[in-house]
Amino acid sequence: SDVYKRQVSTQSTGIVHNPMGHFTEEGLKQLRKRATAVAQHKPSLCEPIFEGIAEALAPMLPLWVSPCSVTLTGLLALLASYLVFLVQQVTREDGADFNAVAPAPGSCVFAAVSYLVYAIMNSLDEKQGERTGSASALSDVFNIACDAFAICLVTVTLSAVTMLGASSETIVLFCIIEFSYFTSHWRHYHCGAKEGSSLSINEALVTVMIACLASAWNPQLWKYEIASMQLNHVLVYALLAYSCCANLSAALKVYTRYEQSEGSFFGPALLQLLPAAVACACTFTWATYSPTDLFDRHSHWFFLGIGLVLGNQCVRLVTSNMSKQRFSIYPYMNTLLLLCTLLSVTRCYGTNKDKSNKEEDICLAWFFAMGLWNFCNLNKNICMELSEALELGIFTLKKTRTS
């Protein structure tokens, strides 16, 4: 029987195959051969700098520290900087938004240092993996999950330090960053590591650091007008133009990849961008047309909830060719987001912004909780399955493969 065959396979290989797991058995075989490294071959502009710093720091780490622990340390640094901005805003007597009152210079400097730490840890985790022989798909997937969460925090940080606050430009900025991040992994999924880019997440982190330091020096420079537009608004729309070019370039590379292939592959590949496009469209619509001004009151939870949903989809995409589940172009959380948006803009929650009407606030809280639970649950299950299959600890290494 099938059960007996699985028992014999388990006894002969020493690996327990979970029939309810995320990966197929063939997928796990590929992962053991390190077939899914997500790093690009071509270094980005800032990568040599962070690689050099990581080379110097790597010998200081104990051998039992796993690459995932290094990545998590960097993410905690970003989370700390986010909490500083959040506490600073909620403790203001008048509750003034950052588009009216700039953040304290000290918090901007702390944010710049936090992003520097995260950028260094992004390179250091690879060096630790090479040093201990623990570089694997486990650290790759964990890194993608942490980057997805970090991308959410980038939007909140930039909206604070550039004095965008809860504005329509902040919504545009969020959609740009999230969709571009998803597209970059989509391009890599179809074209491989050889299609590297001179601009990566490292350059994005450096940009955030510069913005933080500039705000610490003089936050009012973001209000300087260029052709009747504030500098912070010019920055957003310039980033939008670059993002459109980069995303079109990614689509062209994927089209070229399948141009000479038999059958139609580009169409189905293009449909994989639909969940990210729908999520961004719902984000803009819900935030802009909510009759209770939900975005103005709870912008942090708004971005974090939707960002985690997009991060979840990104992890599913990069592991879909080895997964038991096909990548869905209409995932559950996207359907839920679309429903929440429709209920809001059709005034099903009413228009009352007073404390007596909390239906839309409860809806957002529920959506955030569901997004967080799905994100954590998916990545926990994937990491535990990879940890068992690859015989590697997630946060600590019981044995290393050093010479």
Side-chain angles (χ1 to χ4, degrees), residues 226-241:
I226 301 176
S228 72
M229 284 185 68
Q230 292 182 176
L231 180 60
N232 50 7
H233 294 178
V234 172
L235 176 68
V236 171
Y237 292 115
L239 186 59
L240 175 61

Side-chain angles (χ1 to χ4, degrees), residues 57 61-62 64-81 110 113-125 128 142-143 146-147 149-150 153 394-396:
L57 294 177
L61 292 178
W64 55 265
V65 175
S66 74
C68 295
S69 293
V70 177
T71 308
L72 182 61
T73 301
L75 182 62
L76 291 176
L78 289 196
L79 188 59
S81 69
F110 180 73
V113 173
S114 299
Y115 279 88
L116 176 62
V117 170
Y118 186 76
I120 293 172
M121 294 300 167
N122 247 359
S123 297
L124 186 58
D125 60 359
Q128 181 70 354
F142 191 85
N143 198 299
C146 287
D147 281 349
F149 191 79
L153 303 180
I394 299 177
F395 298 114
T396 59

Side-chain angles (χ1 to χ4, degrees), residues 44-47 50 198-208:
S44 61
L45 292 176
C46 298
E47 189 173 340
F50 296 119
S198 57
L199 298 178
S200 67
I201 192 171
N202 286 328
E203 284 66 40
L205 294 172
V206 170
T207 303
V208 177

